[in-house]
Amino acid sequence: FVFISIQLFATREKPISNIANSAKPLQATNRFSHSDISSPYEQIFVVERLPAYQKKKSPEAQQIEKTISPTDRICFVHVGKSGGSTVGCALGFGLHCYNNTKMMDGLLPRRTTNMFHADCYDCYDESANFLFVVRNPLERIKSAFLYERPYGINWLKNNYPQYYERRKAFYMDCPFRFLEDWVQIGLLGKTGSRGSKYAVSEECQEIARHAVWGTRRYPEHLYFNYQFHLEGLPENAKVLTIRNEHLMNDWNQIEQYIGGEKDILTPENAEAAFPVINKKNMTKDPSVRIDPYSSPKYLSDESTHALCRHLCNEIVSYKKILRRSLNLNHLQIEESITELRESCGKYADYEEGDCHYDMPDIKGKLLNFRGYVDKVQLEAVEGHKQRLENPLPPSKRIIGTEEEQEEKDLLMDDDAYPLPYSL
């Protein structure tokens, strides 16, 4: 790896050199943030801007943000396809919230001011707590696979040019259009839904393995996994966790733990507080029309076992998060592991060192994408210079009658279950 300090890099860029060489210490510009609070992300990548989804949306939330000191703040750790967009919108962040800009009542949304998501770490290392939203690792990876599956090559090139090469290599150059085929062909070396039409190539098998391990970047939500977000935390970070399957109960427990109102969420207000969002409209996906399996998330027992085997280290990281969580007791942790046993069997009980594959060494990945104030890879700086602030998604369109819309919703990938699960 080539390591350089931010200050050294700054001297090579004329627009920044005057700042770096001035008498005052280097400060984050925060020129794209809603408030005048410095952005930790912009302190790490001084030539980059904070994406819109990382910011609080409503004017009220932006004003509250200014009143919370860094040591009282909570960092929201958003692991993709774990239900985090739903929770993030309730916390007041942009994400995939459509026109919903209202932050929920309570102490937790007020104090959760910053976010760590994928390659955008915008949190204070001295934050009071780091708030995870987690979900059964097998269900998360199923949802991630379908969420990023492109409609077609031209659609992918036109709509997501920044992801074109990686997604094309995974979904199109290899025969991984369906979950079952990804596992059967890629992980087990067998034929998939099209029988002998597809020869098993060593290259595609390698792509399949590295994608599920999170060691090479193909689908984004597979690459930026539990291990990445857990190991990206500062040393001795204090963790809080909302389990997707027990969302309402865990939210209430955390709210009370940090000094807020007891049972602030009730069965009556939870549905409105947590609308299911960030679905992929499967009715537009051509793969659905030619899917030979009973449902988009179909996996045979053999494939489920194989995928859990390759997910073993990710399951270990998932359990590490649960066990570090200050708001969860032993019975709640065991409850989630018991639920995982129902789908992944013995792999739910494997610990680090028990898996068939070593825990990946992701030091370079963290330096490249998480970034640190005192050092960052040159490749990371150059890569972040090319990124643009993500536009907010359009508001959801309702098409046809209520019955027709309900039928369409049944085909939408919505993180596997309706939220909140605990109702």
Side-chain angles (χ1 to χ4, degrees):
F1 302 111
V2 179
F3 299 113
I4 55 173
S5 71
I6 289 294
Q7 288 82 357
L8 287 176
F9 176 78
T11 61
R12 300 183 186 183
E13 295 287 329
K14 188 174 181 180
I16 303 173
S17 61
N18 292 335
I19 301 175
N21 295 326
S22 64
K24 295 182 180 180
L26 180 64
Q27 299 292 328
T29 64
N30 205 43
R31 57 200 181 282
F32 300 100
S33 181
H34 288 300
S35 74
D36 56 4
I37 297 172
S38 63
S39 162
Y41 174 74
E42 291 178 3
Q43 286 181 311
I44 296 171
F45 299 104
V46 295
V47 295
E48 188 52 33
R49 56 185 178 180
L50 186 65
Y53 65 81
Q54 298 273 137
K55 307 167 187 174
K56 290 294 184 96
K57 290 299 298 176
S58 71
E60 176 193 11
Q62 294 161 23
Q63 291 303 313
I64 291 172
E65 181 187 16
K66 298 178 182 181
T67 69
I68 310 296
S69 69
T71 53
D72 289 332
R73 295 182 180 207
I74 296 173
C75 167
F76 173 42
V77 185
H78 174 27
V79 184
K81 307 314 295 175
S82 63
S85 291
T86 295
V87 172
C89 290
L91 293 171
F93 291 102
L95 293 168
H96 306 271
C97 306
Y98 308 109
N99 293 325
N100 177 25
T101 61
K102 181 174 173 56
M103 184 173 69
M104 268 190 60
D105 294 331
L107 191 57
L108 182 59
R110 295 172 65 91
R111 288 183 55 186
T112 307
T113 56
N114 296 70
M115 189 195 305
F116 173 23
H117 175 54
D119 60 347
C120 198
Y121 178 85
D122 188 52
C123 293
Y124 294 91
D125 287 352
E126 66 271 25
S127 295
N129 297 103
F130 289 77
L131 173 67
F132 277 86
V133 177
V134 299
R135 174 190 187 184
N136 178 317
L138 180 63
E139 294 302 328
R140 190 190 83 83
I141 204 168
K142 286 182 182 180
S143 185
F145 175 92
L146 293 172
Y147 182 75
E148 297 194 41
R149 181 172 65 182
Y151 295 159
I153 192 164
N154 290 330
W155 177 90
L156 176 62
K157 184 181 294 185
N158 293 332
N159 289 276
Y160 297 99
Q162 69 273 39
Y163 303 132
Y164 175 75
E165 293 297 336
R166 293 192 291 269
R167 292 186 185 176
K168 176 178 176 291
F170 182 81
Y171 289 103
M172 297 175 173
D173 295 344
C174 292
F176 302 155
R177 294 295 291 170
F178 311 110
L179 267 169
E180 179 75 358
D181 289 357
W182 173 34
V183 180
Q184 286 287 319
I185 299 172
L187 300 182
L188 291 174
K190 298 184 177 182
T191 56
S193 59
R194 297 293 182 255
S196 60
K197 178 180 178 181
Y198 293 122
V200 180
S201 74
E202 185 175 334
E203 181 182 4
C204 283
Q205 285 187 290
E206 191 173 326
I207 287 173
R209 290 192 296 268
H210 283 287
V212 70
W213 296 340
T215 46
R216 290 185 190 170
R217 193 175 182 181
Y218 295 106
E220 296 288 290
H221 291 85
L222 273 59
Y223 188 66
F224 295 111
N225 54 13
Y226 286 135
Q227 183 193 6
F228 174 81
H229 288 88
L230 175 62
E231 294 189 20
L233 297 185
E235 189 176 2
N236 301 321
K238 296 178 180 178
V239 174
L240 302 171
T241 297
I242 293 174
R243 297 166 296 160
N244 199 317
E245 298 84 356
H246 305 279
L247 190 152
M248 186 180 78
N249 292 334
D250 290 352
W251 180 290
N252 281 336
Q253 204 167 22
I254 291 173
E255 177 72 19
Q256 186 176 7
Y257 175 83
I258 62 175
E261 180 182 343
K262 182 179 180 181
D263 297 330
I264 193 168
L265 277 180
T266 65
E268 290 73 30
N269 67 18
E271 290 288 354
F274 296 105
V276 178
I277 58 174
N278 197 21
K279 298 179 178 182
K280 177 182 179 181
N281 191 337
M282 302 296 286
T283 61
K284 295 181 180 179
D285 190 341
S287 297
V288 173
R289 294 194 288 271
I290 61 172
D291 195 334
Y293 302 108
S294 57
S295 74
K297 291 186 177 179
Y298 170 81
L299 278 180
S300 64
D301 290 343
E302 180 185 43
S303 293
T304 298
H305 181 273
L307 188 52
C308 289
R309 183 175 185 266
H310 282 271
L311 275 175
C312 182
N313 285 307
E314 185 69 349
I315 290 171
V316 170
S317 294
Y318 166 75
K319 292 193 296 182
K320 285 181 179 180
I321 295 169
L322 295 177
R323 289 166 178 164
R324 284 186 60 175
S325 303
L326 299 175
N327 62 298
L328 299 179
N329 60 38
H330 172 75
L331 293 178
Q332 290 170 309
I333 295 168
E334 183 56 33
E335 178 182 37
S336 291
I337 295 174
T338 299
E339 292 166 352
L340 183 56
R341 287 192 194 106
E342 294 177 5
S343 54
C344 281
K346 64 182 181 181
Y347 297 112
D349 294 303
Y350 278 28
E351 302 297 340
E352 187 167 358
D354 295 338
C355 301
H356 294 83
Y357 309 96
D358 292 336
M359 182 70 74
D361 182 348
I362 62 168
K363 293 185 182 68
K365 180 177 173 181
L366 289 168
L367 285 166
N368 200 2
F369 296 108
R370 190 271 197 198
Y372 298 87
V373 172
D374 58 339
K375 58 185 176 181
V376 67
Q377 287 180 267
L378 179 60
E379 178 187 355
V381 176
E382 294 297 335
H384 280 260
K385 284 176 67 177
Q386 304 302 318
R387 284 185 50 184
L388 297 176
E389 187 171 33
N390 293 336
L392 292 175
S395 58
K396 181 179 178 182
R397 292 195 303 156
I398 304 298
I399 302 174
T401 65
E402 184 176 339
E403 290 76 15
E404 289 171 335
Q405 183 61 39
E406 184 176 348
E407 184 178 350
K408 290 184 175 67
D409 283 344
L410 291 175
L411 291 173
M412 296 177 79
D413 172 36
D414 64 352
D415 288 344
Y417 306 101
L419 292 173
Y421 308 133
S422 51
L423 295 184

